[in-house]
């Protein structure tokens, strides 16, 4: 009960002490002792047994073989009477005060003891539950991390297929590019050659036209007006002759 | 029971025989460090037996208080002597 509260506060004090000292001695190296993986032993459930709140049970066990069950009580009574009669313990005003205080203490312990004990137990339970929660959370997150890690390792195995696909992609890109450029080259070359051909054709055409025009012009200029009349008259007589022959043919 | 011979000075007080008490006292460490470590060991034993448990009772603290009351009565005895009821016992 009380000791439980002392325990709760004592642990807190004990915990803060060494940390404050450790911050000062920063030069001390850590983790020098060999570590053992054994789990920390759990706290004992109950403390050493104490009878009537102040006398440890060991005294009773010590005297039991020789004096039985009533031995220590006889010892206590004898000691008390001895101290009273020899006035090693003096009865004065303090005795009255002590008696009142002890009465009140015993009454309050008998009345409120169990509830205080339950309260302290609940405090401890809460602390333990919180720590357990943290531990469980850590365990689940670590297990999850392990699962994820395994998944990543499985993914790594497919890495070579990924690289093959990428390599294929790159090869296709290169091929496409190469063919595009090949087409471009052929097209350009063809255009230039076509240009040359067209040029030559144009050249020949122009020469031909020019020559024809020149020949026509010279022929026409060479036909004098006299010759023109004569040729026209000849044409007329030829036409008449032709008309006669065709008329004759038609009549026959 | 006796697994190997232990030097007398390192035995616990309860295991020391009466005849060896002298050597035992002579072999104990009475330097300040030794005294402090003895006090620390005693404290640890009491603490771990009565206080550092899951369901401690009132005994752990009550015994300390009773010891405090007894020691303070002993220290004040020379003063309390004067309150005695009878001169001769």
């Amino acid at each position: 009960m009380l000791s439980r509260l002392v325990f709760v506060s004592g642990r807190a004090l004990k915990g803060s002490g060494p940390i404050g000292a450790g911050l000062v001695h920063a030069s001390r190296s850590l983790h020098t002792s060999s570590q053992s993986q054994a789990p920390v032993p759990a706290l004992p459930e109950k403390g050493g047994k104490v009878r009537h709140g102040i006398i440890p049970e060991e005294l009773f066990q010590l005297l039991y073989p020789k004096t039985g069950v009533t031995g220590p009580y006889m010892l206590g009574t004898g000691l008390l009477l001895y101290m009273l009669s020899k006035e090693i313990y003096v009865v004065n005003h303090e005795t009255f005060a002590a008696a009142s205080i002890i009465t009140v203490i015993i009454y309050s312990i008998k009345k409120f003891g169990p509830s205080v004990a339950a309260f302290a137990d609940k405090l401890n339970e809460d602390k333990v539950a919180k720590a357990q929660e943290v531990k469980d959370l850590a365990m689940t997150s670590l297990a999850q991390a392990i699962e994820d890690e395994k998944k990543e390792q499985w993914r790594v195995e497919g890495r070579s297929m990924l690289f093959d696909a990428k390599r294929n992609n790159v090869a296709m890109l290169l091929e496409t590019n190469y063919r595009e450029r090949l087409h471009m080259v052929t097209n350009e070359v063809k255009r230039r050659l076509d240009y040359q051909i067209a040029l030559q054709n144009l050249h020949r055409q122009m020469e031909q036209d020019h020559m024809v025009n020149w020949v026509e012009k010279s022929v026409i200029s060479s036909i004098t007006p006299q010759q023109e009349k004569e040729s026209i008259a000849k044409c007329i007589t030829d036409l008449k002759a032709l008309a006669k022959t065709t008329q004759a043919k038609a009549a026959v | 029971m006796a697994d190997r011979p232990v030097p007398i000075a390192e035995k616990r007080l309860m295991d020391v025989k009466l005849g060896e008490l002298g050597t035992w006292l002579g072999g104990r460490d009475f330097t300040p460090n030794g005294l402090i470590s003895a006090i620390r060991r005693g404290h640890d034993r009491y603490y771990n037996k009565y206080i550092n448990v899951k369901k401690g009772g009132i005994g752990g603290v009550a015994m300390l208080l009773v010891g405090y009351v007894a020691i303070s009565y002993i220290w004040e005895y020379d003063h309390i002597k004067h309150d005695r009821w009878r001169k001769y016992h």
Side-chain angles (χ1 to χ4, degrees):
Chain A
M1 295 175 279
L2 270 184
S3 63
R4 262 171 264 191
L5 289 176
V6 166
F7 165 48
V8 164
S9 59
R11 281 287 248 229
L13 285 174
K14 252 178 81 163
S16 60
I19 291 179
L23 279 175
V24 174
H25 303 287
S27 55
R28 246 181 34 205
S29 54
L30 305 169
H31 290 290
T32 44
S33 67
S34 62
Q35 297 189 348
S36 70
Q37 299 290 331
V40 174
L43 283 178
E45 273 291 325
K46 290 186 169 296
K49 265 179 71 61
V50 174
R51 219 191 265 210
H52 302 301
I54 47 176
I55 309 168
E57 189 70 23
E58 276 80 19
L59 183 70
F60 293 80
Q61 297 306 323
L62 197 69
L63 294 175
Y64 180 75
K66 293 284 194 264
T67 57
V69 179
T70 51
Y73 294 109
M74 285 292 113
L75 179 67
T77 314
L79 271 176
L80 187 62
L81 288 175
Y82 167 71
M83 289 208 290
L84 279 173
S85 80
K86 283 284 188 189
E87 288 209 288
I88 297 176
Y89 178 69
V90 178
V91 174
N92 50 8
H93 61 285
E94 283 175 16
T95 311
F96 181 66
S100 328
I101 291 177
I102 286 176
T103 313
V104 168
I105 287 179
I106 290 183
Y107 172 75
S108 62
I109 286 177
K110 285 272 186 278
K111 192 122 190 281
F112 302 117
S115 57
V116 170
F119 174 71
D121 276 344
K122 205 165 94 53
L123 283 180
N124 267 356
E125 287 277 312
D126 289 343
K127 274 208 284 201
V128 164
K130 237 183 261 180
Q132 183 72 15
E133 212 180 286
V134 166
K135 179 178 156 197
D136 284 342
L137 202 67
M139 293 242 322
T140 47
S141 68
L142 284 175
Q144 185 65 31
I146 289 177
E147 286 300 318
D148 290 341
E149 186 63 32
K150 285 210 174 94
K151 193 126 192 270
E152 290 300 314
Q153 283 178 352
W154 169 80
R155 279 196 187 140
V156 158
E157 286 168 18
R159 199 178 44 182
S160 55
M161 280 195 277
L162 185 72
F163 285 164
D164 280 344
K166 284 197 181 214
R167 226 176 285 134
N168 279 352
N169 274 2
V170 167
M172 251 193 279
L173 275 176
L174 285 174
E175 185 77 25
T176 321
N177 216 350
Y178 172 69
R179 286 193 190 178
E180 265 179 17
R181 289 189 189 167
L182 216 56
H183 276 194
M184 199 167 72
V185 161
T186 36
N187 280 350
E188 289 295 310
V189 167
K190 190 151 158 309
R191 262 181 49 198
R192 276 161 184 58
L193 291 178
D194 282 347
Y195 172 74
Q196 293 300 324
I197 291 174
L199 201 66
Q200 285 178 2
N201 281 352
L202 183 71
H203 224 83
R204 201 178 312 129
Q205 192 74 23
M206 288 194 75
E207 283 175 3
Q208 207 167 338
D209 286 347
H210 185 256
M211 216 182 298
V212 162
N213 281 346
W214 189 78
V215 164
E216 276 184 9
K217 214 189 300 175
S218 63
V219 163
I220 288 179
S221 62
S222 74
I223 298 180
T224 59
Q226 180 63 27
Q227 277 181 323
E228 206 171 331
K229 271 194 197 140
E230 280 180 15
S231 63
I232 287 178
K234 181 111 192 327
C235 289
I236 291 176
T237 48
D238 280 338
L239 274 172
K240 277 192 184 153
L242 269 171
K244 272 193 195 149
T245 51
T246 49
Q247 262 184 348
K249 271 191 191 162
V252 172
Chain B
M1 259 288 275
D3 31 8
R4 61 177 178 86
V6 183
I8 298 176
E10 293 174 18
K11 277 203 231 174
R12 304 180 81 160
L13 183 55
M14 285 295 146
D15 297 335
V16 170
K17 304 196 191 347
L18 265 177
E20 301 168 348
L21 203 56
T23 15
W24 185 84
L25 269 180
R28 293 307 285 175
D29 188 12
F30 286 113
T31 62
N33 253 347
L35 285 172
I36 289 186
S37 71
I39 292 175
R40 167 118 306 250
R41 265 180 288 131
H43 169 272
D44 284 345
R45 266 180 69 189
Y46 185 82
Y47 183 76
N48 285 330
K49 185 160 182 204
Y50 289 106
I51 302 186
N52 199 4
V53 293
K54 274 192 211 162
K55 285 165 91 63
I58 196 144
V61 173
M63 282 197 282
L64 285 173
L65 288 176
V66 165
Y68 166 70
V69 166
I71 286 182
S72 66
Y73 184 86
I74 292 172
W75 283 344
E76 292 290 303
Y77 187 66
D78 287 340
H79 190 279
I80 296 179
K81 257 193 320 202
H82 304 298
D83 290 338
R84 283 199 280 198
W85 291 51
R86 293 280 183 275
K87 201 164 153 194
Y88 302 105
H89 299 99

